[in-house]
């Protein structure tokens, strides 16, 4: 392996061994605390534009298989690990992590002190970073990082360009793709839904023309305020059909209803985040991946109520509309990777669509 370096915006330089693609990469460096699930993390469109560091010290030991992808093409900009496994062992393995990264032009760096890097991010927050060869002087790379802004149109890069249908005999659900994980489709098809996936900039009129029983707002990358067309669409949909938002969809629902969002210091990324459900008086373990959160104070005076909170930092993890059939969660109930404690939320969504239909018949 060739020697490579990762240079952070604060001037920190870590030297390690390169794996995967030999190309240079610029992105926002974040950390994920999951012990497993690196394949799903690599293929999660919500990581678009980011360099992901895995805090678990050994990554790649079960290889890459055909079944665990969350999208067809990965959008992650790079990967940082303590140790990468060169000889994975698993009955489903089809290639190594190194080979997969090479084939998808994603650079990786191993042999760095990931514990030190995690502490830096926790102290100073997420920041820009670059993975480069040692041929580039660290001072030059740092100057490049500081002068090169990160793209803010990630959703347009990861969303589907044209609508498509996943046929089913059940409820007709329109899914707005902001960077959708395939796990969401798996949960809906498991429940026999007839699914129409539409682009992020689809208007309310176009959606209502499809006569859906419900609307799903998916996960996706970046700042929700960078998707104003989606906020306007939700405002024109509320009250007309039931709505369920996940992750970025949760933040967009909040903005559409008059609340606010802000960027977290280092976000939530991992498979073991405890969330308290206030109405059920229960705690669920959840899979999370987000940099932004709904501001709790901004919900005062809106028609939104908090339904769930994170036990680690008390941030808002769930909201519901007090008048219209709409609710959302900040975490990923479809998991992949992670616990499946909250997959029942998809059943609740379909129950809500059925109730809305009954009320419409007798209105």
């Amino acid at each position: 392996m060739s020697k490579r370096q990762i240079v952070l915006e604060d001037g920190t330089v870590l030297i390690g061994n390169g794996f995967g693609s030999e190309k240079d990469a610029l992105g926002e460096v974040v950390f994920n605390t999951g012990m497993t699930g690196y394949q799903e993390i690599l293929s999660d469109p919500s990581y678009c534009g980011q360099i992901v560091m895995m805090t678990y010290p050994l990554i790649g030991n079960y290889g890459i298989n055909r079944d665990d992808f969350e999208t067809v093409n990965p959008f992650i900009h790079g990967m940082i690990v303590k140790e990468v496994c060169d000889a994975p062992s698993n009955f489903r393995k089809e290639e190594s992590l190194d080979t997969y990264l090479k084939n998808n032009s994603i650079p990786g760096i191993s042999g760095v002190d990931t514990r030190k890097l995690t502490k830096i991010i926790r102290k100073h927050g997420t920041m820009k970073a670059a993975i480069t060869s040692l041929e580039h002087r660290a001072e030059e790379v740092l100057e490049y990082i500081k002068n090169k802004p990160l793209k803010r149109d990630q959703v347009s890069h990861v969303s589907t360009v044209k609508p498509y249908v996943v046929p089913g005999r059940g409820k007709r659900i329109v899914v707005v793709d902001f960077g959708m994980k395939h796990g969401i489709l798996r949960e809906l098809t498991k429940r026999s839904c007839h699914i129409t996936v539409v682009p992020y900039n689809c208007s309310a009129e176009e959606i209502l023309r499809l006569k859906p029983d419900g609307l799903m707002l998916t996960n996706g990358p970046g700042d929700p305020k960078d998707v104003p067309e989606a906020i306007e669409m939700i405002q024109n949909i509320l009250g007309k059909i039931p709505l369920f938002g996940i992750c970025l969809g949760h933040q967009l629902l909040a903005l559409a209803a008059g609340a606010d969002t802000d960027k977290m210091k280092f976000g939530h990324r991992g498979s073991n985040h405890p969330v308290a459900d206030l109405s059920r008086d229960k705690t669920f373990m959840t899979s999370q991946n987000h940099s932004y959160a709904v501001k709790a104070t901004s919900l005062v005076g809106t028609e939104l109520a908090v339904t769930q909170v994170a036990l680690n930092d008390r941030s808002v993890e769930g909201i519901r509309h007090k008048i219209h059939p709409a609710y959302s969660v900040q975490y990923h109930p479809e998991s992949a990777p992670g616990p499946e404690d909250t997959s029942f939320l998809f059943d609740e969504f379909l129950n809500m669509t059925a109730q809305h239909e009954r009320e419409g018949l007798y209105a």
Side-chain angles (χ1 to χ4, degrees):
M1 293 183 181
S2 61
K3 288 291 183 180
R4 308 210 80 193
Q5 63 182 340
I6 178 162
V7 181
L8 272 64
E9 192 176 6
D10 69 348
T12 301
V13 179
L14 299 174
I15 308 296
N17 301 311
F19 69 100
S21 171
E22 295 183 356
K23 64 177 274 190
D24 295 339
L26 173 72
E28 182 182 46
V29 63
V30 299
F31 65 85
N32 186 295
T33 58
M35 294 175 65
T36 61
Y38 55 83
Q39 180 173 337
E40 294 91 332
I41 291 166
L42 281 169
S43 57
D44 181 351
S46 293
Y47 284 108
C48 177
Q50 295 180 330
I51 297 172
V52 179
M53 175 184 62
M54 302 298 296
T55 61
Y56 190 70
L58 177 63
I59 300 297
N61 55 317
Y62 55 87
I64 300 288
N65 65 75
R66 70 171 190 175
D67 298 324
D68 292 339
F69 291 112
E70 287 300 313
T71 191
V72 175
N73 299 309
F75 296 95
I76 190 173
H77 277 200
M79 176 165 266
I80 307 168
V81 302
K82 172 64 176 175
E83 180 182 351
V84 62
C85 180
D86 295 324
S89 176
N90 185 275
F91 72 98
R92 295 196 301 161
K93 177 208 71 169
E94 295 179 334
E95 61 180 326
S96 68
L97 176 59
D98 177 55
T99 302
Y100 176 77
L101 294 185
K102 280 186 170 71
N103 292 337
N104 287 278
S105 299
I106 300 170
I109 184 170
S110 67
V112 301
D113 190 341
T114 52
R115 179 173 292 185
K116 175 183 177 179
L117 186 49
T118 302
K119 288 182 176 180
I120 291 172
I121 296 173
R122 284 183 61 88
K123 181 177 180 180
H124 300 291
T126 55
M127 63 185 80
K128 289 189 289 184
I131 298 176
T132 74
S133 70
L134 296 182
E135 296 176 358
H136 303 289
R137 292 175 54 245
E139 294 81 6
E140 296 174 350
V141 177
L142 181 59
E143 188 67 22
Y144 173 77
I145 292 172
K146 290 182 175 180
N147 294 325
K148 182 72 172 179
L150 297 177
K151 293 183 178 180
R152 298 187 63 88
D153 58 347
Q154 295 103 318
V155 170
S156 65
H157 287 285
V158 300
S159 175
T160 184
V161 177
K162 296 181 179 179
Y164 62 91
V165 172
V166 182
R169 295 291 187 181
K171 293 295 182 183
R172 300 178 68 88
I173 305 299
V174 169
V175 176
V176 185
D177 178 11
F178 299 112
M180 175 188 60
K181 290 172 60 185
H182 287 173
I184 293 175
L185 290 183
R186 284 193 292 269
E187 290 297 330
L188 292 174
T189 54
K190 188 189 301 182
R191 292 160 175 82
S192 302
C193 293
H194 179 89
I195 305 162
T196 304
V197 181
V198 299
Y200 76 99
N201 54 0
C202 196
S203 69
E205 292 75 20
E206 291 172 310
I207 291 172
L208 293 173
R209 206 174 297 136
L210 296 170
K211 306 294 184 183
D213 297 309
L215 180 68
M216 171 75 69
L217 307 174
T218 76
N219 63 291
D223 187 342
K225 293 176 183 176
D226 291 339
V227 201
E229 52 269 79
I231 298 171
E232 180 183 358
M233 176 272 291
I234 296 167
Q235 290 171 336
N236 292 324
I237 286 283
L238 275 172
K240 296 175 181 175
I241 53 175
L243 184 154
F244 178 26
I246 293 173
C247 200
L248 182 65
H250 160 80
Q251 299 157 14
L252 290 169
L253 172 61
L255 291 172
D260 196 11
T261 59
D262 58 4
K263 190 171 186 180
M264 308 175 80
K265 187 175 182 180
F266 48 83
H268 293 167
R269 294 173 186 86
S271 307
N272 56 352
H273 288 259
V275 168
D277 189 307
L278 304 180
S279 61
R280 294 179 176 83
D281 194 25
K282 288 185 177 181
T283 296
F284 300 108
M285 298 304 291
T286 67
S287 175
Q288 302 203 13
N289 169 24
H290 61 102
S291 296
Y292 292 81
V294 175
K295 294 173 65 174
T297 55
S298 73
L299 294 168
V300 178
T302 70
E303 295 175 337
L304 297 173
V306 177
T307 57
Q308 301 182 17
V309 295
L311 290 181
N312 289 337
D313 59 11
R314 308 305 295 183
S315 59
V316 177
E317 290 287 342
I319 56 175
R320 65 170 176 82
H321 203 283
K322 297 177 183 178
I323 300 173
H324 304 308
Y327 69 98
S328 61
V329 291
Q330 180 61 78
Y331 53 86
H332 290 262
E334 81 285 354
S335 61
E340 299 179 354
D341 294 22
T342 56
S343 61
F344 65 86
L345 291 174
F346 291 93
D347 297 312
E348 289 196 350
F349 174 50
L350 297 182
N351 291 337
M352 186 167 64
T353 65
Q355 180 181 349
H356 185 263
E357 182 180 10
R358 288 194 299 269
E359 291 174 352
L361 288 174
Y362 298 106

